[in-house]
Amino acid sequence: MKAARLYVMGVLGVLIGVWAMSAGGCANEQQQKGHELYGHYCSHCHGESGRQNEGFNWSSMPDPKPKDLTNKSEMSTLKDVDIFNTISRDMKDTSEGGDVIGDDDFAVPTMPTFKYTLSEDEIWAIVGYVRGLHGMKMEFKVEERKKELAAALLTAQGNFDQATKTYEAAEKQASEEAEKKNVEVDDAVYAKEMAVMVQAKKDLDAAQAASNNLVTRPGKGVSVARPDLTVKPEQVAKMVELGHRLYENKYGCNGCHSLGAEGGKVGPALDRAGFRLNGTWIYRWLKNPQAMKPETRMPALGLSDADAKAVTMYLGTLRAPAQPDALIDKPVAPVEKPAS
Ligand code: HEC
Ligand code: HEC
């Protein structure tokens, strides 16, 4: 009797253990991933534990300073999806006459976007970690989102298959009728079916992209084509001016790079970028830094071709005179191991 009871308890214990490991194990993995990604991509500005003036870049940043992520009364006003949308957004040109920015839009240029650097899944892991910094728990259910995307993909595939069949049948019927009457096939007869199929293909591609983006980094495997950097002489000055504006007011490069005494120190000083770096290299780097150095802390900021060209032109003009090394080559943060 006693032995049997012990046996039952033993089995129960093992079962509970397995259950706890699978439930907790998965959550832990997500938490661990969020922690590592935060350490690699956020801590230099926001601090390892999210406090003011804790990150090594905090005091070098122009205003506004990186948000205090431990401030529960402020952070609790943001929903999980608001935090997600801040980390994963398109940068806005905050110059006068730049982009239209709504009252509720978050558009601080020196808070970079990670939309073009990390997968959606990774960004959710970071949101979960940020929640912990002010003692909250993420409520957003990533598993549900995954299921929704998978279901949407299945539906889109089904719609496309159906639309293809309908189109093929309509086309076949039209050509059979034309053959009977001995006339040319009239494309207009099945134009509607064709339009439906084309749309279904677009929807399928979009569902596929959303699904891929959930787990795959957007820049992965994307190589940047060699740019045409020629500019008409009369346009050079305007392009350089635009590049300067975008550098500060749209992409907040100054949050991480310094010019003279001003600016962040996450990346190297760019005072002499015009001497040291070649235009094609700069352009490619700006479009997809991870393609050239997978573990770099510099995110891909989603520069359009035109923006990348203007910023490249501007960097080409940065030709400060050489100074003693100690003055211009500020120490660059050591590059950490890849965070994936
Ligand atoms: C180059 C420095 C820098 C980096 C890197 C950085 N941030 Fe920020 N962050 C800022 C600045 C500046 C603000 C704006 C503060 C303000 O509006 O008062 C900000 C604001 C925020 C906010 C508040 C948004 C809101 O709606 O008010 C959150 C959340 C945040 N950052 C999270 C992150 C996370 C997570 C990462 C890493 C994936 C990150 N940040 C990386 C500088 C940075
Ligand atoms: C979140 C911080 C961050 C932001 C924002 C950022 N960079 Fe960087 N950048 C870096 C880091 C870090 C490096 C060093 C590369 C490495 O070794 O990982 C770097 C490297 C570079 C380099 C190569 C410098 C050299 O001497 O090798 C250039 C050029 C550059 N960045 C330009 C820009 C421009 C232009 C922008 C804005 C469009 C920008 N960066 C935005 C962090 C940043």
Side-chain angles (χ1 to χ4, degrees):
M1 181 68 200
K2 207 172 166 196
R5 225 168 76 199
L6 271 178
Y7 172 74
V8 169
M9 281 180 62
V11 169
L12 245 169
V14 168
L15 279 177
I16 289 174
V18 167
W19 171 79
M21 257 163 64
S22 62
C26 192
N28 271 338
E29 214 175 273
Q30 206 49 9
Q31 215 168 8
Q32 177 66 21
K33 192 163 88 179
H35 191 167
E36 278 174 17
L37 290 165
Y38 179 91
H40 191 67
Y41 293 106
C42 322
S43 64
H44 30 287
C45 289
H46 287 283
E48 188 54 46
S49 56
R51 281 192 213 96
Q52 301 280 273
N53 207 359
E54 186 187 15
F56 71 76
N57 196 44
W58 198 90
S59 59
S60 315
M61 294 273 303
D63 285 335
K65 298 289 188 195
K67 187 99 161 179
D68 180 354
L69 301 179
T70 64
N71 186 331
K72 187 171 177 184
S73 63
E74 276 189 28
M75 289 304 292
S76 62
T77 63
L78 301 172
K79 294 199 214 71
D80 295 334
V81 54
D82 296 332
I83 299 178
F84 181 94
N85 288 340
T86 294
I87 305 172
S88 180
R89 69 190 199 281
D90 284 308
M91 303 302 284
K92 293 262 172 71
D93 183 359
T94 61
S95 317
E96 255 185 70
D99 290 320
V100 179
I101 295 162
D103 287 345
D104 291 338
D105 286 343
F106 176 85
V108 177
T110 48
M111 161 66 199
T113 182
F114 294 86
K115 178 176 177 176
Y116 300 95
T117 309
L118 302 176
S119 70
E120 192 182 325
D121 198 34
E122 289 176 316
I123 295 177
W124 281 119
I126 295 175
V127 174
Y129 185 75
V130 167
R131 276 303 187 212
L133 296 178
H134 45 272
M136 288 176 72
K137 274 216 157 88
M138 181 167 92
E139 276 161 22
F140 187 90
K141 296 279 179 285
V142 182
E143 287 309 313
E144 310 259 302
R145 166 92 178 140
K146 285 186 186 169
K147 279 185 206 149
E148 271 168 31
L149 286 176
L153 182 57
L154 267 180
T155 308
Q157 183 70 57
N159 288 346
F160 175 66
D161 292 347
Q162 185 58 48
T164 307
K165 273 190 203 140
T166 310
Y167 161 76
E168 283 169 358
E171 195 208 15
K172 189 164 169 241
Q173 197 189 345
S175 52
E176 280 170 4
E177 271 165 28
E179 206 173 315
K180 257 189 244 159
K181 294 183 198 154
N182 208 7
V183 293
E184 288 270 308
V185 189
D186 181 4
D187 295 347
V189 176
Y190 53 85
K192 212 178 87 191
E193 286 79 2
M194 184 155 168
V196 170
M197 183 185 70
V198 168
Q199 184 57 49
K201 178 72 171 88
K202 277 190 195 150
D203 295 346
L204 175 58
D205 289 346
Q208 185 73 61
S211 197
N212 289 349
N213 193 29
L214 187 66
V215 287
T216 313
R217 294 187 173 186
K220 207 172 165 120
V222 178
S223 73
V224 180
R226 177 170 272 274
D228 174 10
L229 293 175
T230 50
V231 179
K232 293 202 185 102
E234 66 272 21
Q235 285 173 351
V236 170
K238 263 206 138 151
M239 283 276 274
V240 168
E241 194 198 310
L242 173 67
H244 188 179
R245 252 179 54 193
L246 297 173
Y247 179 96
E248 282 184 8
N249 300 343
K250 186 169 182 183
Y251 298 106
C253 314
N254 53 329
C256 288
H257 292 281
S258 65
L259 293 174
E262 303 279 311
K265 51 181 187 200
V266 183
L270 295 178
D271 302 276
R272 289 171 54 77
F275 284 128
R276 290 191 302 109
L277 307 166
N278 127 313
T280 301
W281 187 92
I282 294 181
Y283 180 96
R284 285 204 162 126
W285 173 259
L286 297 180
K287 291 283 284 187
N288 191 351
Q290 279 68 33
M292 297 165 87
K293 192 169 185 183
E295 78 282 10
T296 183
R297 284 177 137 173
M298 174 161 158
L301 295 163
L303 279 81
S304 66
D305 293 353
D307 284 4
K309 192 169 169 177
V311 175
T312 299
M313 295 279 302
Y314 168 60
L315 294 192
T317 65
L318 302 176
R319 294 172 174 234
Q323 287 173 32
D325 279 2
L327 279 175
I328 52 162
D329 280 332
K330 291 190 184 174
V332 174
V335 173
E336 289 174 8
K337 70 174 173 53
S340 61

